[in-house]
């Protein structure tokens, strides 16, 4: 019966050792993503040494063979608690002085020496002997003075690491508490198992630590793969991190998300804890449907992002900065999101004021003139015609005098709205004066421009303006001209169109006139509608 249990023990210990080796190899593979990865690699390697040495001890046939494997066990079990403690310090962002770090290895080094030379002084084990009435060779020990020192040191390292992690519980983002719990378990579970062994209440007097390391290794593997544990310490954040007005995304060296603050979540409502571990491009796709829009440069990431919310949009200035480790090595980056919505809105307002008419939203006079000159130059270089249509609201003063300026403004907006439905996309449309408007038509001949002007003229009275005074009929008079020569300047064309407009108003209004280019500008010819 005992023999079968020993076989089961050896099998379970071997599985635990395999898991430790796998965790070690996985840590090596991910070493670039894990700051302080050398601690984890050494820790898991030493645990594997301890576990397999224990398995070979169980399978040994003689007392001398058992003693040799006990010495090998202390290569692993003696130094593992120190590396576990250093890993905890690295995780919480604390750095021990180099001298203190080296001093932690003094007791394990002495322990290994004492275990290897125990036959000469018996300070570690007073006695190692084979258990009586055991079907397979199993050793029992009588502990010596230095065993107590090593045991206290081991318990101290595990307890200190566990308490340091527990103290960080409240400071830790909920998204990281699962990995924190995994690390806490990695400190306390072996300590509890050792305590039960020393109390003599384990089955067959067997040391349970190699078995429970199977559990902790499994938890570590699961946590590293599912929660991306140990990529960058999420605990080493002061309250400043959460109180910052700027949104902060913490990225590792592979641009994978490892943390973010509350401001970032408010700025990007689609940002979820489940996205931790995604690359920047992947999480941006999950949030917005497209990859991160700013190009990476040698100096980092810097640019502007427009973020569309449900009923509005926001503008964020984006810039990155490198996160340096205590030794100056790069361990990741911070992606800062600075809310610049108001500034961009102000800039847009200023641009609107500089380029557009405040009432109607079309180009103001200055902007229309700038763009019309460019239009004429382009038309001349391509040998294409370009036309101007100048029109004026008929009897506009009467609208203001009879119904008030609010109604007068509504008349102007009504006229602009009617025109926009008929103008081509490439047309230039501007407010030339109070109730006077101008249209630039690239590629339009005189006949085409006149036809369009008549369409607008007919559309205005066809849809009266609804007002508190009842429906109001709006009409306009039009003057049309066309640039047919390279030397036709904008000023000349505007004068021609203005003369044609004056002729239209003098001849009864609500009509279209065009300048006769072969005669003086004061002579205009009517165009039938």
């Amino acid at each position: 019966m005992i023999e079968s249990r020993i076989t089961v023990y050896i099998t379970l210990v071997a599985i635990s050792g395999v898991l430790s080796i796998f965790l070690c190899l996985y840590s090596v593979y991910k070493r670039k993503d894990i700051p302080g990865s050398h601690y984890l690699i050494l820790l898991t390697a030493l645990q594997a040494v301890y576990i397999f040495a224990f398995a070979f001890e169980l399978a040994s046939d003689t007392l001398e063979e058992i003693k040799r494997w006990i010495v090998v066990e202390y290569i692993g079990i003696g130094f593992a608690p120190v590396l576990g403690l250093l890993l905890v310090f690295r995780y919480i962002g604390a750095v021990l002085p180099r001298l203190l770090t080296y001093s932690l290895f003094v007791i394990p080094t002495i322990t290994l020496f004492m275990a290897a030379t125990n036959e000469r002084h018996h300070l570690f084990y007073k006695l190692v002997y084979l258990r009586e009435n055991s079907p397979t060779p199993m050793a029992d020990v009588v502990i010596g003075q230095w065993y107590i020192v090593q045991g206290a040191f081991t318990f101290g390292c595990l307890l200190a690491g566990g308490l340091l992690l527990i103290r960080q519980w409240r400071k830790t983002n909920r998204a990281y508490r699962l990995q924190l719990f995994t690390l806490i378990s990695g400190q306390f579970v072996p300590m509890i198992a050792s305590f039960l062994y020393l109390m003599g209440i384990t089955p067959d007097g067997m040391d349970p630590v190699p078995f429970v390391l199977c559990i902790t290794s499994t938890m570590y593997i699961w946590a590293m793969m599912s929660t991306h544990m140990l990529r960058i310490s999420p605990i080493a954040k002061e309250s400043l991190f959460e109180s910052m007005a700027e949104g902060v995304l913490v990225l590792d060296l592979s641009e994978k998300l490892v943390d973010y603050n509350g401001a970032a979540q408010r700025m990007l409502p689609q940002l979820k804890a489940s996205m931790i571990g995604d690359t920047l491009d992947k999480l941006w796709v999950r949030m917005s449907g497209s990859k991160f829009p700013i190009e990476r440069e040698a100096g980092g990431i810097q640019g502007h992002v427009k973020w569309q919310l449900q009923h509005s949009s926001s503008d964020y200035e984006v810039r990155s900065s490198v996160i340096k480790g205590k030794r100056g090595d790069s361990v990741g980056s911070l992606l800062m999101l600075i809310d610049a919505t108001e500034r961009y809105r102000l800039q847009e307002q200023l641009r609107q004021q500089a380029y557009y008419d405040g009432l109607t939203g079309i180009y103001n006079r200055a902007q229309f003139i700038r763009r019309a000159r460019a239009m004429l130059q382009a038309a001349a270089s391509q040998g294409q015609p370009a036309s101007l249509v100048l029109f004026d609201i008929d009897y506009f003063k009467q609208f203001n005098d009879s119904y008030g300026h609010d109604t007068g403004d509504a008349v102007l907006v009504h006229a602009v709205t009617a025109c926009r439905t008929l103008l081509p996309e490439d047309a230039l449309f501007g407010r030339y004066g109070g109730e006077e408007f101008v249209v630039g038509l690239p590629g339009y001949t005189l006949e085409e421009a006149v036809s369009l002007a008549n369409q607008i003229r007919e559309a205005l009275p066809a849809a009266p303006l609804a007002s508190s005074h009842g429906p109001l009929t709006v009409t306009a008079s039009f003057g049309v001209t066309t640039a047919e020569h390279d030397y036709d300047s904008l000023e000349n064309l505007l004068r021609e169109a203005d003369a044609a407009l004056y002729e239209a108003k003098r001849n009864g209004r609500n009509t279209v006139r065009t300048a006769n280019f072969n005669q003086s500008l004061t002579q205009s010819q009517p165009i039938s509608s």
Side-chain angles (χ1 to χ4, degrees):
M1 183 68 177
I2 294 180
E3 288 186 32
S4 62
R5 286 205 297 269
I6 293 296
T7 302
V8 173
Y9 291 154
I10 294 174
T11 302
L12 292 175
V13 170
I15 293 173
S16 181
V18 170
L19 288 174
S20 292
I21 291 176
F22 177 81
L23 181 56
C24 180
L25 295 176
Y26 186 76
S27 302
V28 172
Y29 176 68
K30 291 291 184 180
R31 63 189 182 278
K32 292 183 179 180
D33 296 335
I34 304 174
S37 58
H38 53 286
Y39 290 141
L40 183 61
I41 294 170
L42 288 173
L43 173 63
T44 51
L46 290 174
Q47 285 180 345
V49 170
Y50 164 60
I51 292 169
F52 279 109
F54 182 76
F56 292 144
E57 176 194 339
L58 293 179
S60 297
D61 295 326
T62 65
L63 181 60
E64 291 303 317
E65 194 176 350
I66 289 173
K67 289 179 179 179
R68 285 196 298 271
W69 285 119
I70 289 176
V71 174
V72 177
E73 289 173 25
Y74 276 95
I75 296 175
I77 198 62
F79 293 93
V82 176
L83 291 167
L85 181 60
L86 292 176
L87 184 64
V88 169
F89 276 113
R90 186 66 182 81
Y91 182 76
I92 66 176
V95 177
L96 294 177
R98 184 168 297 183
L99 183 61
L100 180 57
T101 300
Y102 292 154
S103 67
L104 291 174
F105 291 91
V106 172
I107 290 180
T109 302
I110 296 174
T111 296
L112 181 59
F113 175 78
M114 299 289 266
T117 60
N118 188 69
E119 294 298 321
R120 300 180 182 180
H121 46 73
H122 298 287
L123 292 175
F124 197 76
Y125 292 124
K126 291 183 178 179
L127 182 62
V128 181
Y129 59 94
L130 292 176
R131 187 179 301 177
E132 295 181 358
N133 302 320
S134 175
T136 60
M138 295 184 64
D140 283 329
V141 299
V142 178
I143 63 175
Q145 294 91 331
W146 192 258
Y147 184 95
I148 297 173
V149 173
Q150 173 61 32
F153 178 75
T154 298
F155 272 88
C157 289
L158 293 172
L159 182 62
L163 293 178
L164 286 171
L165 293 171
I166 290 173
R167 286 182 60 188
Q168 306 299 327
W169 186 265
R170 289 187 177 181
K171 301 179 184 178
T172 304
N173 188 303
R174 289 181 179 273
Y176 291 99
R177 287 186 175 177
L178 188 58
Q179 64 167 277
L180 180 58
F181 175 77
T182 301
L183 286 172
I184 292 172
S185 300
Q187 297 295 309
F188 281 105
V189 170
M191 186 171 66
I192 294 171
S194 296
F195 179 76
L196 295 176
Y197 172 64
L198 293 176
M199 295 295 294
I201 55 178
T202 56
D204 299 321
M206 193 71 64
D207 183 358
V209 173
F211 304 103
V212 300
L213 288 178
C214 174
I215 299 173
T216 59
S217 294
T218 302
M219 293 175 66
Y220 269 54
I221 293 170
W222 171 80
M224 290 180 70
M225 290 184 171
S226 62
T227 68
H228 305 276
M229 185 178 72
L230 301 177
R231 292 290 175 85
I232 288 181
S233 169
I235 294 177
K237 319 182 287 186
E238 303 297 333
S239 59
L240 175 64
F241 183 66
E242 287 299 333
S243 63
M244 290 175 65
E246 295 82 5
V248 180
L249 303 180
V250 184
L251 308 175
D252 67 10
L253 293 174
S254 303
E255 280 198 352
K256 292 179 180 177
L257 179 68
V258 295
D259 203 1
Y260 58 86
N261 66 353
Q265 208 281 324
R266 290 189 293 273
M267 290 178 170
L268 310 173
Q270 298 88 341
L271 185 61
K272 305 297 180 186
S274 61
M275 297 178 182
I276 291 174
D278 288 347
T279 63
L280 182 58
D281 281 334
K282 183 177 179 180
L283 74 90
W284 218 262
V285 168
R286 291 179 63 180
M287 291 191 298
S288 67
S290 59
K291 289 185 177 181
F292 187 66
I294 303 175
E295 293 293 330
R296 282 69 161 176
E297 298 179 356
I301 296 173
Q302 187 167 353
H304 163 246
V305 168
K306 180 174 283 293
W307 193 257
Q308 188 63 44
L309 302 174
Q310 187 173 3
H311 301 295
S312 62
S313 63
S314 296
D315 292 276
Y316 302 132
E317 291 288 349
V318 182
R319 64 189 63 168
S320 66
S321 60
V322 176
I323 302 175
K324 294 289 187 179
K326 296 294 181 179
R327 298 180 180 178
D329 55 324
S330 176
V331 297
S333 62
L334 294 180
L335 195 67
M336 307 286 291
L337 303 176
I338 303 168
D339 193 345
T341 304
E342 290 304 317
R343 177 161 61 85
Y344 275 89
R345 284 178 181 170
L346 178 59
Q347 290 175 351
E348 180 61 23
Q349 289 174 4
L350 293 175
R351 191 178 73 86
Q352 290 285 339
Q353 293 173 8
Y355 296 164
Y356 300 95
D357 176 60
L359 175 64
T360 61
I362 61 177
Y363 290 129
N364 59 26
R365 181 186 179 115
Q367 183 64 12
F368 175 85
I369 289 174
R370 282 194 293 269
R371 291 178 177 264
R373 283 200 176 102
M375 178 192 74
L376 291 175
Q377 290 176 359
S381 64
Q382 297 169 10
Q384 297 292 322
S387 297
L388 288 183
V389 177
L390 197 64
F391 68 94
D392 187 285
I393 305 298
D394 293 333
Y395 306 109
F396 180 72
K397 187 175 183 300
Q398 293 182 12
F399 286 111
N400 280 332
D401 293 344
S402 301
Y403 308 115
H405 288 281
D406 288 345
T407 300
D409 289 345
V411 168
L412 297 177
V413 173
H414 173 71
V416 168
T417 302
C419 288
R420 277 178 164 165
T421 60
L422 297 172
L423 293 178
E425 290 186 3
D426 58 349
L428 301 178
F429 190 20
R431 187 176 178 185
Y432 196 64
E435 71 273 18
E436 199 169 19
F437 300 90
V438 62
V439 179
L441 298 169
Y444 270 58
T445 64
L446 181 63
E447 291 75 13
E448 291 170 336
V450 168
S451 175
L452 179 61
N454 271 307
Q455 292 178 44
I456 297 172
R457 183 187 63 79
E458 293 171 354
L460 284 173
L465 170 64
S467 73
S468 59
H469 309 286
L472 302 177
T473 300
V474 180
T475 63
S477 300
F478 297 78
V480 183
T481 188
T482 298
E484 295 183 339
H485 307 284
D486 293 350
Y487 51 81
D488 286 328
S489 69
L490 178 63
E491 288 74 13
N492 287 336
L493 292 175
L494 287 171
R495 281 195 296 270
E496 291 173 359
D498 187 61
L501 171 60
Y502 175 79
E503 186 70 15
K505 295 176 72 171
R506 194 179 68 173
N507 287 275
R509 305 178 189 268
N510 190 26
T511 188
V512 176
R513 290 289 186 274
T514 179
N516 186 335
F517 293 54
N518 297 318
Q519 302 176 22
S520 67
L521 293 176
T522 58
Q523 297 177 345
S524 304
Q525 60 186 57
I527 301 295
S528 59
S529 57

